[in-house]
Amino acid sequence: MIHRLIYQGPAFLVVGLARLSAQSVIEGKVELPKTHSAPVMNQRYGIISVGGVLAPNPPVAVVYLEGTFPPAAGRPVRQVVQTNFTFVPALLPVQVGTRVEFPNHDPTFHNVFSFSPPKRFDLGRYRPDERPIPSQIFDKPGLVTLRCDIHEHMRGLILVLDTPHFATSDADGRFRLTNLPSGHFVLKAWLSSKTTLEAAVDLGTNATVHRDLP
Amino acid sequence: MKTLALFGGALLALPALGGAVEELFDRVDESLTLSAFDDRWRARLSGLLDLEGYFFQQPTPGLLNTAGDRLFAPRLTLFLDTQFGPHLYAFAQSRLDRGFDPGDGPARARLDEYAIRFTPGDDGRFRLQAGKFAAVTGNWNARHLSWDNPFINAPLPYENVTTIFDREAPARAADFVHGLNEPKYEYNPVAWGPAYGTGLSASGQLGRFDYAAEMKNTSLSARPESWDATEIGFGHPTFSGRMGFRPGPEWNLGISGSAGPYLRPEAATMLPAGRGVGDYREWVVAQDLRFEWHRLQLWAEVYEARFEVPRVGEADTLAYYIEAKYKFTPRFFGALRWNQQLFGTVPNGVGGRVAWDRDLWRVDLAAGYRFTAHTQLKLQYGFQQETVGPHRSGSSVAAQFTVRF
């Protein structure tokens, strides 16, 4: 396969070699907090209210590999959707340099903003079919809290990471990181702004490592 | 002065501490939100702490209730929002302050709003609410709280007291047109703020239309002391309603109406023979408009009101405002509001007619800054000018610092 790629051009060679050296996997489970939030929507003065019961947010973890990695090739694009008066997903991990779009899927205006130090912005009030979809580039690592200036209960998080290797756990805490390079790294599990679990991992080529946190 | 300097220093430090302060407030919010029965029952306690200061010339503008030329009016407002499944929702608002309208009275705690709402379907087509809550008319009531409004005071239709007097009936027409001889707080505006009367409402959404109708114990102009059902019963109810239309998400156009007796029971003994307080109504027809697009928001309301005044006849007035808010940066916004009120004529008791109050206009200019997602400072300047009679004018400056939790 390497032979064929070399003959097709140097760009394929780089991608092919990188893939060959990035086949390791870490899987495991993070012990998640027992609590979950069941937000309440303030409907005091709204003449119109459709639904009104918000989906509860089960705790999840963002698991990532800390180390020195090349920056993202191109500019990845992800989305945080506003639907049923909540941010979906409620927690989105992205790599530094990612553009995040904020499409509005509710039948009313939303106004996404953040005052968090890594990214301060205010998208203003925009309609469901707003084009182009309002977006922001997240160019500094850190935690960004998303809010809506119209609906005070709405809160979402974007965790901007300086690594391309991350995944969100499921509601039971299970995670799987794939296509990892070999080497010595620190595996971290972000649970909240106050709690990040970590463990050292050694990855060989094409290795599958099982690691639970803590 | 030292307190002011400390307060200013704390404000300046807020943006630097922004992330930590926001996390603290978010944790407080989470700890004040409870759920049970597999999340079918949920409750959230939240609040606003307002520190307000006013500097003005007498007579005081709007519903400010003091004899001095400055006022400090702190206010703590607590909200309870609770729901049981998708069909039952209840809320309450209590306040600790120096009077419902900013004044220099002693600190008091009140239960200003409480209501339970039943929504039988899932599409928002119909819902029924009972309790003590803001009137359904117009579009200002939905944004009258300090965090939601770019201004510190209310627009002219909601706070400019007129010659209407709800505790007594004039003995003759000349007494009515003689002017404001009692303390200002004894008189009534077209609508007294959000008019938290007690009663029932039905509302809902049908496509691009929304509707709301209510039966309350008091008229829109009724003073806060009248809003409780224990103070004024349902013997002479007020009926109000609003029909809204949204041609697109940016727009909301509405037309409202209200009719109901405005005199308090103690005025009954002063009425002409054979007449009761139920014979003298406040009639209101209002139009409202809202437009929002990105950083710009516009609101406008026009109130046409008629008061049936004993021994005088029909006293008509038109009050309107147009208001714009623009967000210059994520934290900084500015707002401008133009208000005007015009008065019709009534018999003067000697064969002629005379305007029953003085026409006036007021311009309000405000700027606001959000230090964090939970703290906000607003500054406001207002200038008011009467356009008839002695052409009295006055200006006021106000500042309001709000903490939302």
Side-chain angles (χ1 to χ4, degrees), chain A residues 52-79:
Chain A
V53 178
L54 304 166
N57 292 322
V60 290
V62 172
V63 184
Y64 59 97
L65 206 59
E66 195 175 72
T68 304
F69 304 104
R75 191 176 294 287
V77 178
R78 302 293 304 276
Q79 285 196 335

Side-chain angles (χ1 to χ4, degrees), chain B residues 291-368:
Chain B
F291 174 80
E292 50 193 357
W293 183 247
H294 295 179
R295 296 180 171 196
L296 176 68
Q297 289 177 272
L298 291 174
W299 300 271
E301 285 185 85
V302 183
Y303 269 77
E304 294 168 87
R306 167 170 291 174
F307 292 91
E308 297 169 342
V309 183
R311 302 184 182 89
V312 176
E314 295 167 341
D316 295 345
T317 182
L318 182 146
Y320 73 93
Y321 72 90
I322 180 164
E323 177 180 328
K325 174 187 172 187
Y326 190 80
K327 246 187 228 181
F328 296 103
T329 73
R331 295 179 186 276
F332 178 59
F333 62 84
L336 183 65
R337 184 170 63 197
W338 170 262
N339 314 257
Q340 193 166 17
Q341 187 160 9
L342 308 170
F343 294 89
T345 60
V346 294
N348 61 3
V350 290
R353 293 186 72 84
V354 63
W356 62 278
D357 209 329
R358 298 187 183 106
D359 296 349
L360 76 162
W361 56 261
R362 192 180 79 199
V363 62
D364 300 310
L365 184 66

Side-chain angles (χ1 to χ4, degrees), chain B residues 237-240 257-261 281-284:
Chain B
T238 288
F239 296 91
S240 307
S258 180
R281 293 181 177 81
E282 177 190 11
W283 298 84
V284 171

Side-chain angles (χ1 to χ4, degrees), chain A residues 36 39 43-48 52 54 109 111 115 120 122 125 127 130 147 149 155 193, chain B residues 22-23 26 29 39 42 81 83 89 113 117 127 205 249-250 292 294 297 327 331 370 373 404:
Chain A
H36 76 286
Q43 305 171 51
R44 287 168 231 140
Y45 307 121
I47 288 179
I48 309 150
L54 304 166
F109 270 52
N111 185 159
F115 287 167
R120 292 196 175 100
D122 189 320
R125 289 164 184 250
R127 51 187 295 159
E130 186 88 9
R147 301 174 197 277
D149 196 26
R155 202 178 307 153
S193 58
Chain B
E22 291 197 11
E23 279 184 35
D26 288 344
D29 184 30
D39 294 333
R42 304 179 191 188
D81 295 276
Q83 58 189 128
Y89 168 78
E113 279 189 291
R117 183 182 304 159
R127 63 184 199 176
Q205 180 188 10
E250 304 92 336
E292 50 193 357
H294 295 179
Q297 289 177 272
K327 246 187 228 181
R331 295 179 186 276
R370 288 195 173 166
R404 181 174 73 160

Side-chain angles (χ1 to χ4, degrees), chain A residues 12-23 179-181:
Chain A
F12 287 98
L13 172 66
V14 173
V15 174
L17 288 174
R19 285 193 164 214
L20 277 181
S21 61
Q23 294 297 317
N179 292 331
L180 303 178

